[in-house]
Amino acid sequence: LSFTTTLPSDADVGLFPLTVEVSPLFSAVTNLTFEGSRLSLAPATAVPGQSIVLSGSGFASILEGTETENPHQIAGKGSSFISIGGEVLRQPHVEYPIQLDESGSFFARVIVPNSPTTEQGGSLKLEVTDSSGRRGIADLFVLTPGIAVEPKDGYPGQHIQLTGHGFIASNPFLGVDNEAAISY
């Protein structure tokens, strides 16, 4: 038995049982993982305040021979938005609405917010839901702040090298201009 079928356009993201029945003798169940619409982040590792480029495809498109412009978008209201770690992004971290092209693709700039969600760092889910309910999920790794000192043991007057990572990024768009202060 071999056949082709189309997933429903309103299918949610996740693992689902797929059942095939040929009455009255045969029934088989397998699991199907539907990854949803595709998202890509550049870069996929960031710090709060940093701008990333988000591109998506496989979102709601227009049917061939119908409208000339895609009526769907990522609206920033209702259930159509971008979130990081479950936190909905608002202005100035993303500019809504984000229009989908006729094939259901988009590009957008997103600024990683400095919030309780992102200051914990680690792997966070970046999720996009368009106005038709189609979703896509990507992993965003947010660095946690840290400092390395070389050499670890020193003496008064010795030059040391400090290397920091994971601090909030300067971002002129947000009016944030950081500077490092060192105290002993």
Side-chain angles (χ1 to χ4, degrees):
L1 174 65
S2 178
F3 61 91
T4 301
T5 187
T6 303
L7 287 172
S9 61
D10 62 348
D12 202 1
V13 177
L15 181 68
F16 300 96
L18 175 67
T19 304
V20 176
E21 292 183 18
V22 179
S23 295
L25 303 173
F26 179 78
S27 179
V29 178
T30 187
N31 287 323
L32 171 69
T33 301
F34 180 59
E35 296 177 357
S37 302
R38 291 163 300 287
L39 291 176
S40 177
L41 309 173
T45 299
V47 296
Q50 183 175 351
S51 293
I52 60 174
V53 174
L54 175 62
S55 63
S57 61
F59 287 87
S61 59
I62 60 172
L63 298 174
E64 194 171 319
T66 58
E67 303 174 35
T68 57
E69 190 175 312
N70 192 343
H72 300 292
Q73 60 185 346
I74 302 159
K77 57 186 175 183
S79 61
S80 175
F81 50 78
I82 298 173
S83 66
I84 295 177
E87 176 185 349
V88 175
L89 298 185
R90 303 281 180 216
Q91 289 277 13
H93 298 97
V94 65
E95 190 173 323
Y96 294 113
I98 300 169
Q99 299 300 326
L100 301 175
D101 69 15
E102 62 188 26
S103 66
S105 299
F106 72 92
F107 284 97
R109 180 187 68 187
V110 173
I111 300 173
V112 178
N114 180 29
S115 67
T117 301
T118 59
E119 69 185 23
Q120 297 299 316
S123 183
L124 298 172
K125 296 292 183 194
L126 187 146
E127 185 174 331
V128 176
T129 306
D130 70 16
S131 58
S132 76
R134 288 197 184 180
R135 293 183 348 170
I137 298 173
D139 290 317
L140 171 66
F141 190 81
V142 178
L143 295 171
T144 54
I147 298 174
V149 179
E150 276 297 321
K152 293 203 180 283
D153 299 319
Y155 55 86
Q158 179 182 5
H159 290 285
I160 60 172
Q161 180 176 348
L162 299 175
T163 305
H165 58 83
F167 295 101
I168 298 168
S170 293
N171 189 317
F173 185 75
L174 296 176
V176 176
D177 187 22
N178 295 329
E179 110 182 11
I182 302 169
S183 61
Y184 296 93

